[in-house]
Amino acid sequence: MEMEDQMESQKRRGRSNEDLILDRTGTLGCVGWFLVILSGLFTVCLLPLTIWFCLKIVQEYERAVIFRLGRITDKKAKGPGIFFVLPCTDSFVKVDLRTVSFDIPPQEILTKDSVTVSVDGVVYFRVSDPISSVAKVSNADFSTRLLAQTTLRNVLGTKNLAELLSDREGISHAMQSSLDEATDQWGIKVERVEIKDVKLPHQLQRAMAAEAEATREARAKVIAAEGEMNASRALKEASLVIAESPSALQLRYLQTLSSIAAEKNSTIIFPLPMDVIGHFMKK
């Protein structure tokens, strides 16, 4: 219920703002209407010539916000195509609706765990409401760029280094929602925010590399020790099998000779039975 009440209040607030704009744009006054009528008569009298000053064209990706005596004539922008303006009393501003991208300059940021990093990114946005982008902010593009820099600092200041390096997608979504909410009243829609690069200090890079190398060496030693243990168990089982069958040792001798002969080397090995050697050792 509370969420529904908040949504209703926001809708009412938005409607009241639109009604206020319409009321302000609709009240030209007596002098204003006199000038508009005079401009219309002037246009009709010089129609063959003034037609080139009255007809304007905007492209498919553009919209025109018309001002009549300094007031917005309609809550909806004109275009695309041909539209009509009165000379001397009307002026218009073209607004580009295409998606614009810009790079966030590298920002020196102190993370939550007191590590200084340099982070840059890229932002994609477009104009969703041409009238608000013209009437409510002096320069929507420049204001969005400045707000993106401060938002990057604010969001990354609440993250530690591990989160910054591993959760870039979550940070990008948090920045996008924050920017979109702040620029909505300017008629700007932030479509995407991406973190491009995170630059760490050289001392920290060396420390992290040493830590990673030590971790890999410790893991390699553990793996080698486990391999030695498994090999010793296998050798123990093999010795038990050979002890049960004395002829198995002779077969092992012959197998070793066969493998040595296959290598085509000049080494000649004559195996002697362990029983013969044991007999001489007793003497």
Side-chain angles (χ1 to χ4, degrees):
M1 295 295 293
E2 294 180 358
M3 293 294 294
E4 293 179 357
D5 295 338
Q6 291 178 359
M7 293 177 63
E8 290 294 333
S9 62
Q10 291 178 358
K11 291 180 180 179
R12 292 173 184 174
R13 193 180 300 109
R15 291 174 182 173
S16 62
N17 292 335
E18 292 180 357
D19 295 339
L20 181 60
I21 292 175
L22 289 177
D23 293 340
R24 290 180 179 178
T25 55
T27 56
L28 293 177
C30 297
V31 178
W33 282 112
F34 175 75
L35 293 176
V36 171
I37 294 173
L38 185 62
S39 177
L41 293 176
F42 175 76
T43 303
V44 172
C45 293
L46 301 176
L47 188 59
L49 297 177
T50 56
I51 189 66
W52 305 108
F53 299 97
C54 295
L55 296 180
K56 303 295 180 181
I57 300 175
V58 292
Q59 303 297 330
E60 180 69 27
Y61 53 85
E62 293 177 334
R63 297 295 183 271
V65 180
I66 301 177
F67 292 89
R68 178 165 294 166
L69 297 177
R71 299 178 180 273
I72 298 176
T73 58
D74 195 358
K75 67 177 182 179
K76 185 178 180 181
K78 301 294 184 180
I82 301 176
F83 63 94
F84 180 83
V85 295
L86 291 175
C88 303
T89 60
D90 292 358
S91 62
F92 67 95
V93 178
K94 288 184 179 181
V95 179
D96 197 333
L97 301 183
R98 291 177 293 183
T99 299
V100 180
S101 63
F102 65 88
D103 292 328
I104 302 177
Q107 304 292 315
E108 295 289 338
I109 299 171
L110 184 64
T111 61
K112 190 177 180 180
D113 50 355
S114 301
V115 178
T116 303
V117 295
S118 178
V119 183
D120 59 352
V122 61
V123 178
Y124 300 87
F125 73 95
R126 61 179 176 83
V127 176
S128 59
D129 188 357
I131 294 179
S132 297
S133 65
V134 172
K136 293 185 178 181
V137 62
S138 61
N139 192 335
D141 181 84
F142 183 68
S143 300
T144 305
R145 293 173 186 267
L146 293 180
L147 185 60
Q149 298 180 20
T150 57
T151 304
L152 179 64
R153 289 177 174 270
N154 294 335
V155 172
L156 296 184
T158 60
K159 306 291 183 180
N160 54 37
L161 182 61
E163 294 175 347
L164 179 59
L165 296 177
S166 61
D167 192 19
R168 291 192 179 187
E169 185 176 357
I171 294 174
S172 300
H173 286 307
M175 285 188 58
Q176 179 183 354
S177 60
S178 179
L179 274 174
D180 195 18
E181 182 180 359
T183 58
D184 184 61
Q185 59 181 349
W186 299 342
I188 301 296
K189 173 65 178 177
V190 178
E191 296 182 341
R192 191 178 183 86
V193 178
E194 291 292 341
I195 302 297
K196 291 176 61 177
D197 190 16
V198 179
K199 296 181 180 179
L200 303 176
H202 294 290
Q203 296 180 355
L204 183 59
Q205 291 181 9
R206 289 195 294 268
M208 294 178 65
E211 181 183 1
E213 184 178 0
T215 302
R216 287 194 296 269
E217 290 180 356
R219 190 180 298 112
K221 290 180 179 179
V222 171
I223 294 173
E226 291 178 353
E228 291 291 339
M229 182 176 62
N230 295 331
S232 63
R233 289 176 179 174
L235 289 174
K236 180 182 178 181
E237 294 176 359
S239 64
L240 294 176
V241 173
I242 293 175
E244 293 177 358
S245 177
S247 60
L249 184 60
Q250 300 297 329
L251 293 176
R252 181 60 180 165
Y253 284 156
L254 295 175
Q255 184 180 5
T256 304
L257 285 175
S258 176
S259 61
I260 293 174
E263 295 178 0
K264 297 181 181 180
N265 51 24
S266 59
T267 303
I268 300 175
I269 298 176
F270 294 97
L272 294 177
M274 296 300 295
D275 297 337
V276 176
I277 297 175
H279 179 71
F280 284 105
M281 290 179 65
K282 290 180 181 179
K283 292 182 177 181

